[in-house]
Amino acid sequence: MNKKYLIALLLPFLLAFDGPKLKKIAITKNVSLAIPETFAVMPDDGIAREYPSARKPLGVFTSPDGQIDISVNQRPSTFPEGDVKMMQSFYKASIQRMFSEVKFIKEESQKINGRDFLVFEFVSTVKDERKTQQLAPVRKYTIIQYTFLKDQMLIFSFNAPAQLQPQWQETAKAVMASAQVK
């Protein structure tokens, strides 16, 4: 079969598997992120349930089925501004303490839109360690990245069930690469 005909036959199928379209969202006047067009702002009761904290995140967006979340948080930083590399071992240990098991895909400092970020990509497992009843482990695929804004730490995260990693990994990377902090 001629290569041109083969490409013409396969092209519609390849384009159908392209990731979701992203739209740019202003989180604050200084922070923006591109998220999938179908994602919506998570309601306050969902935020309280999924992100229990004394400080409400700056923004949380969720997929139509509620399985995938993108969040942006801000908190005072205890690290000197701009010293992203120094934070790496501290945040890696913090991530490892939060889960029963963590398999890191990536851990590095990276320039994103002209700003230094500390980026972790991993699959985590939380096992039910109660003695009375056993629930199946919960596995999540996550990209989390940290940067400074004055004396504040900005935390961007993308979370999905681990079984959805193959279909969402490229979109997750595109979302996280769109982070802009002025």
Side-chain angles (χ1 to χ4, degrees):
M1 183 182 268
N2 188 329
K3 283 185 183 180
K4 288 181 183 178
Y5 292 116
L6 182 61
I7 290 172
L9 284 172
L10 291 177
L11 190 60
F13 293 105
L14 295 173
L15 292 176
F17 294 109
D18 194 19
K21 291 194 184 298
L22 302 180
K23 63 180 176 182
K24 188 174 178 178
I25 299 286
I27 308 295
T28 69
K29 70 177 187 171
N30 296 320
V31 179
S32 66
L33 190 67
I35 65 169
E37 287 180 336
T38 59
F39 279 41
V41 174
M42 183 180 279
D44 285 343
D45 62 331
I47 292 172
R49 188 175 49 258
E50 297 292 323
Y51 296 89
S53 173
R55 292 173 193 238
K56 183 179 174 184
L58 296 175
V60 181
F61 307 91
T62 189
S63 61
D65 61 7
Q67 290 192 57
I68 301 168
D69 295 340
I70 300 168
S71 68
V72 180
N73 289 287
Q74 181 176 349
R75 67 174 75 132
S77 176
T78 55
F79 291 96
E81 183 178 347
D83 200 346
V84 170
K85 201 69 173 147
M86 185 178 83
M87 303 177 339
Q88 189 166 350
S89 61
F90 174 81
Y91 277 107
K92 181 178 182 179
S94 177
I95 290 168
Q96 289 172 315
R97 279 192 307 272
M98 290 183 344
F99 305 104
S100 305
E101 182 182 315
V102 179
K103 291 184 180 171
F104 287 95
I105 299 165
K106 178 183 0 181
E107 54 176 299
E108 64 187 18
S109 58
Q110 184 177 348
K111 273 231 189 279
I112 299 173
N113 296 314
R115 181 173 286 275
D116 290 325
F117 279 84
L118 177 59
V119 180
F120 292 99
E121 182 178 8
F122 58 91
V123 174
S124 62
T125 304
V126 175
K127 296 177 183 172
D128 183 6
E129 297 176 356
R130 297 177 293 181
K131 303 239 187 278
T132 56
Q133 65 187 88
Q134 292 289 315
L135 298 174
V138 176
R139 297 183 66 239
K140 291 269 189 184
Y141 166 70
T142 301
I143 299 179
I144 189 166
Q145 57 193 37
Y146 306 85
T147 193
F148 294 99
L149 180 61
K150 298 180 183 159
D151 61 345
Q152 300 288 304
M153 176 66 58
L154 289 173
I155 304 125
F156 297 79
S157 68
F158 183 102
N159 301 290
Q163 68 268 23
L164 296 179
Q165 176 187 350
Q167 69 194 74
W168 281 93
Q169 188 168 20
E170 290 309 311
T171 299
K173 289 178 179 181
V175 166
M176 300 308 264
S178 74
Q180 290 197 324
V181 180
K182 298 176 189 169

